[in-house]
Amino acid sequence: MRNSSFLSGIRPLRLDTVAAIIGLFLALAMLPLRLLASQIYIKTVPIVLGLACGLYLLSLYAQNDNPAMPTLSRPALMALPTLVLFGLSALVALSFVQGERTLAFFVLSGVVGTLLIAQIVFSEDETFNTGLVLLQLVLFAFVFRFTALYATPGYIGIDIWTHMDLAGAILEERSLSAISHDKHYGSPLYHLLVASSALVFDVPLRAALYLTVGVVMPLSILLVYATANLLISPRWSALAAGLFAMASYVSMWGMHLIPTSMGLVFFLGVLYALIRVMRIEYTIRDFTLLLVLSLAVILTHQVSTFIMLVVLVTAFLAQLVFMIGPFGLDRLDTNTFRTKKPVNLIGLVVFNFGLTIFVWSLTPYRQDSFLGTVLSYFTQTIEESAGFLNIASGAGSEDSASEVAAPTLLDQVVPYVDSLGFLLLLGLTFAGCLYVVHRKRAEQSVFTLLLASAFMLVFVMGLPMFGIRNFIPTRWFAFLYAPMAILGAIAIRVFIRDLDPRLAVVTVLLVVLVYPGAMAFAAETNTENPIFDQQHEQLAYDESELTAVSSIGEMTGSPSGSEIRPDQQLHTDHPYFTVFGRTGAYPSSSYVTIPEDGVAEHDYTVYRTSQTESVVYFVEDERAQLKSVDRAQICRPTQATVYDNGDVNFCTPSPVSN
């Protein structure tokens, strides 16, 4: 009888079932790769893929007498928004009192994020208040980002110093020709916005940046909600917006406000407009909006443009799948997704590719056009350094300065903490992809999200495994999080509806309790004051360090690179030396090289106390090493200290020694 009951419950194999089974075998096949390389994703992604496929198969064949999952009571749901508002107020107070975002801030932000996600997943559609939840999500995004901007005297990040210099040049000359020598001349929308805002509002560039790009970034999460709401109900669309709002790289580009940030906003607009024309009986106005937004991306940021082109190509491939592939329109389940003929996107794809090639061909970059330089670098990489498991250092790698000495337990744990939030969302994305490939649920819009996630993951994790990092994979994560968040919300909805209630509760609780805190603790969300300050460098500076940059520039007259002999180059740690070069205080600046005897031999060096109190990058054994040093290793006794503000020393050749 038991065998008969079991056999009667077996369903015929479907495309989603086959895909899940293939995923399980693929996960098993990838497990041995951990013996060949220590990269964090090689170790973890097979496990995540296997778990996602296993849970999805369990949801398919679960036989539940009582499929309902426990929900919060109405009084509890009414109390949670109040607790969230108290928590946000406490976050603001903490940043004011402590003068920076500390460990307590990030712990509390994780708790507030958990309360927010709990309101969504543990409520019912009838009791869910969409407007109230979205308001809390936007407030959370504002508080999490602007407390960092408030507590940081200058800017957060490295590239932003260059972009503010370019915006300042435009403002000073009142002309775009001020940056005609730079690659951003072909994509100036960000710099024009900041410069014009400073002029219109009559505020400094920093305030203009925060009032424009800084304000728009937290609001952009509503575009994720709007996109998801074209596919799923408001409740799960709000969950997608929440998963996106708390994502590490999304938070980082809300604080490190560069063209990537603005490109992300326009990209989200493109994604919304793209899904919209696939889901409604669109008019010429809807397609015009898509065209204008894609043009805005091209005029804002080159990497964002390439990412957008990848997504447009995936949308076109999704069109082909439903025109000539195995998914007939008569098989679509109108109870899940509205039936609609595939939208013809060939004209849009050709137009954007053509315009991009035209703009990049006219954009100056390193004595050549941007297009020519990029193709040259890519060809060089393929010929010289590409190879299987030739993993370059970067995000997700465990390589660090601790390789010289035996790594501590914390050194081994930190990479997993940094990647935990992404891995959770990746697992949900895998499950969401399996759900939408079912023939009754498949359509062009969701297949675009599926293929976009797959293609972007190739650029983020696949190509770096072969030593190809020309596409700057760390810039892709925030864009990738948009389709991942939507597919992840779909997966949670499926688990709650179809999994055994006990297993569903465990799975959902894992996401609710871990995801917000994991994203808050990821290195990208706390670059201005790293939680793990012995494993990550700080990408922001205090008042004394910024004062030293301007003072040293005044002392030396900010000589141009052509006026400086090689022996007069200024040397200090990374990232500090980048501020000297990018602000023009001392354009010829570079890493300090620490030889085997442990003492720098450069004539002109800059020491700051952060080099001893935390970790920064130096060159040792011809490679960048993350470590801390003593002052005597940077400023030798034989040098003269010509500037000292208590935190920063500028050391030059001593007149006595000469």
Side-chain angles (χ1 to χ4, degrees):
M1 291 295 292
R2 289 182 180 179
N3 290 337
S4 175
S5 176
F6 173 76
L7 292 174
S8 64
I10 295 180
R11 303 175 185 177
L13 291 181
R14 307 176 315 205
L15 188 58
D16 56 337
T17 309
V18 173
I21 294 172
I22 292 175
L24 281 175
F25 282 109
L26 186 61
L28 290 173
M30 290 192 297
L31 282 176
L33 289 178
R34 60 173 47 230
L35 302 176
L36 304 176
S38 61
Q39 209 257 14
I40 183 69
Y41 295 137
I42 290 178
K43 290 183 175 181
T44 55
V45 169
I47 298 174
V48 170
L49 175 60
L51 288 174
C53 294
L55 282 174
Y56 184 75
L57 287 173
L58 287 176
S59 72
L60 287 180
Y61 295 99
Q63 297 179 355
N64 302 325
D65 297 328
N66 181 23
M69 196 181 79
T71 58
L72 294 172
S73 64
R74 188 177 293 270
L77 288 172
M78 293 176 63
L80 284 180
T82 304
L83 293 176
V84 168
L85 291 178
F86 273 118
L88 294 176
S89 301
L91 290 175
V92 174
L94 273 175
S95 62
F96 271 85
V97 171
Q98 298 180 329
E100 59 186 3
R101 299 192 308 167
T102 60
L103 177 61
F105 178 97
F106 294 108
V107 170
L108 181 56
S109 66
V111 173
V112 173
T114 291
L115 296 177
L116 264 170
I117 300 297
Q119 289 181 60
I120 303 173
V121 299
F122 291 119
S123 66
E124 297 178 346
D125 290 336
E126 297 76 15
T127 59
F128 183 73
N129 189 326
T130 305
L132 182 60
V133 170
L134 290 179
L135 175 62
Q136 294 173 72
L137 286 173
V138 171
L139 289 176
F140 177 86
F142 265 103
V143 168
F144 193 84
R145 291 150 176 77
F146 270 85
T147 47
L149 298 177
Y150 164 80
T152 305
Y155 299 107
I156 299 173
I158 296 176
D159 294 345
I160 190 170
W161 296 94
T162 295
H163 295 296
M164 286 299 98
D165 184 61
L166 296 174
I170 293 174
L171 179 62
E172 183 178 351
E173 296 191 18
R174 303 292 198 275
S175 172
L176 188 60
S177 62
I179 64 170
S180 59
H181 62 285
D182 191 87
K183 69 176 181 178
H184 297 96
Y185 182 67
S187 53
L189 210 54
Y190 166 93
H191 307 90
L192 288 173
L193 174 66
V194 176
S196 59
S197 298
L199 187 63
V200 171
F201 299 144
D202 192 23
V203 294
L205 284 172
R206 182 170 179 264
L209 175 67
Y210 294 169
L211 288 173
T212 51
V213 183
V215 169
V216 170
M217 285 303 296
L219 293 173
S220 66
I221 67 173
L222 296 177
L223 288 171
V224 176
Y225 169 81
T227 305
N229 199 32
L230 293 168
L231 301 167
I232 49 182
S233 67
R235 177 184 169 195
W236 302 113
S237 301
L239 177 60
L243 295 174
F244 182 80
M246 298 174 191
S248 55
Y249 279 93
V250 177
S251 297
M252 184 182 76
W253 299 126
M255 296 176 284
H256 185 195
L257 298 168
I258 60 175
T260 303
S261 308
M262 192 167 167
L264 175 61
V265 175
F266 286 131
F267 170 83
L268 295 177
V270 169
L271 189 63
Y272 166 74
L274 186 63
I275 300 300
R276 178 179 171 84
V277 299
M278 295 177 184
R279 298 289 293 160
I280 67 171
E281 295 300 329
Y282 65 89
T283 63
I284 188 64
R285 181 185 62 183
D286 299 306
F287 216 87
T288 301
L289 174 64
L290 177 57
L291 193 64
V292 170
L293 288 170
S294 62
L295 179 62
V297 175
I298 294 173
L299 295 177
T300 300
H301 188 226
Q302 286 92 357
V303 176
S304 302
T305 299
F306 188 79
I307 297 171
M308 178 193 69
L309 293 177
V310 169
V311 172
L312 291 179
V313 168
T314 62
F316 175 65
L317 292 177
Q319 172 193 338
L320 295 181
V321 166
F322 285 90
M323 289 177 62
I324 61 177
F327 298 96
L329 291 174
D330 59 327
R331 300 188 185 99
L332 292 178
D333 183 359
T334 55
N335 293 324
T336 307
F337 298 126
R338 293 188 296 273
T339 304
K340 189 175 183 297
K341 289 181 63 177
V343 178
N344 189 348
L345 297 172
I346 183 62
L348 180 68
V349 173
V350 171
F351 172 80
N352 279 281
F353 265 94
L355 182 61
T356 299
I357 292 173
F358 175 75
V359 171
W360 287 5
S361 298
L362 298 179
T363 301
Y365 187 44
R366 299 190 179 182
Q367 313 304 319
D368 196 357
S369 68
F370 180 82
L371 181 62
T373 303
V374 168
L375 291 177
S376 175
Y377 283 169
F378 182 70
T379 302
Q380 183 180 355
T381 300
I382 295 296
E383 293 175 349
E384 297 180 2
S385 59
F388 182 58
L389 294 184
N390 184 20
I391 300 172
S393 61
S397 174
E398 293 181 346
D399 297 335
S400 67
S402 60
E403 287 180 350
V404 177
T408 64
L409 178 61
L410 189 60
D411 291 331
Q412 299 176 55
V413 169
V414 166
Y416 292 92
V417 175
D418 290 338
S419 304
L420 181 57
F422 169 73
L423 293 173
L424 278 174
L425 187 55
L426 183 64
L428 293 175
T429 302
F430 287 147
C433 288
L434 292 172
Y435 179 79
V436 301
V437 298
H438 189 291
R439 289 188 178 184
K440 290 185 177 181
R441 294 184 284 266
E443 69 157 25
Q444 187 183 9
S445 58
V446 289
F447 254 60
T448 296
L449 297 178
L450 185 156
L451 292 174
S453 300
F455 275 61
M456 293 167 77
L457 283 171
V458 169
F459 284 94
V460 168
M461 295 190 295
L463 294 183
M465 287 181 60
F466 294 85
I468 302 174
R469 301 184 64 87
N470 303 67
F471 300 99
I472 320 178
T474 53
R475 298 291 175 99
W476 291 62
F477 277 96
F479 300 81
L480 172 61
Y481 279 134
M484 286 179 67
I486 298 173
L487 292 169
I490 292 175
I492 291 180
R493 169 192 167 201
V494 171
F495 289 155
I496 289 176
R497 188 188 65 187
D498 296 337
L499 271 181
D500 179 272
R502 291 166 295 183
L503 186 55
V505 168
V506 171
T507 303
V508 172
L509 273 179
L510 180 66
V511 176
V512 172
L513 296 177
V514 176
Y515 180 82
M519 285 299 190
F521 272 62
E524 295 77 26
T525 60
N526 48 77
T527 54
E528 90 288 358
N529 187 32
I531 294 175
F532 304 106
D533 59 358
Q534 295 302 310
Q535 285 74 30
H536 299 300
E537 76 278 21
Q538 185 179 27
L539 298 180
Y541 314 97
D542 57 31
E543 289 283 5
S544 62
E545 291 168 339
L546 295 177
T547 300
V549 172
S550 58
S551 298
I552 292 173
E554 292 174 1
M555 289 174 57
T556 59
S558 298
S560 64
S562 60
E563 299 173 338
I564 301 175
R565 301 192 310 268
D567 62 301
Q568 292 178 319
Q569 188 177 53
L570 184 147
H571 292 82
T572 185
D573 68 85
H574 177 84
Y576 196 39
F577 82 79
T578 63
V579 186
F580 286 91
R582 291 171 184 260
T583 59
Y586 203 102
S588 183
S589 55
S590 185
Y591 282 98
V592 165
T593 298
I594 307 291
E596 292 184 2
D597 61 8
V599 178
E601 299 176 352
H602 311 292
D603 289 336
Y604 295 85
T605 56
V606 174
Y607 168 81
R608 57 177 179 144
T609 55
S610 295
Q611 295 172 359
T612 301
E613 295 174 354
S614 57
V615 292
V616 289
Y617 278 100
F618 301 97
V619 171
E620 186 176 279
D621 297 329
E622 299 184 352
R623 60 177 297 182
Q625 301 281 0
L626 192 63
K627 60 185 295 184
S628 58
V629 297
D630 296 327
R631 181 187 183 280
Q633 294 178 266
I634 306 299
C635 284
R636 304 182 302 276
T638 56
Q639 290 178 288
T641 302
V642 297
Y643 176 83
D644 184 356
N645 68 4
D647 288 318
V648 180
N649 301 154
F650 179 34
C651 302
T652 65
S654 173
V656 176
S657 63
N658 292 337

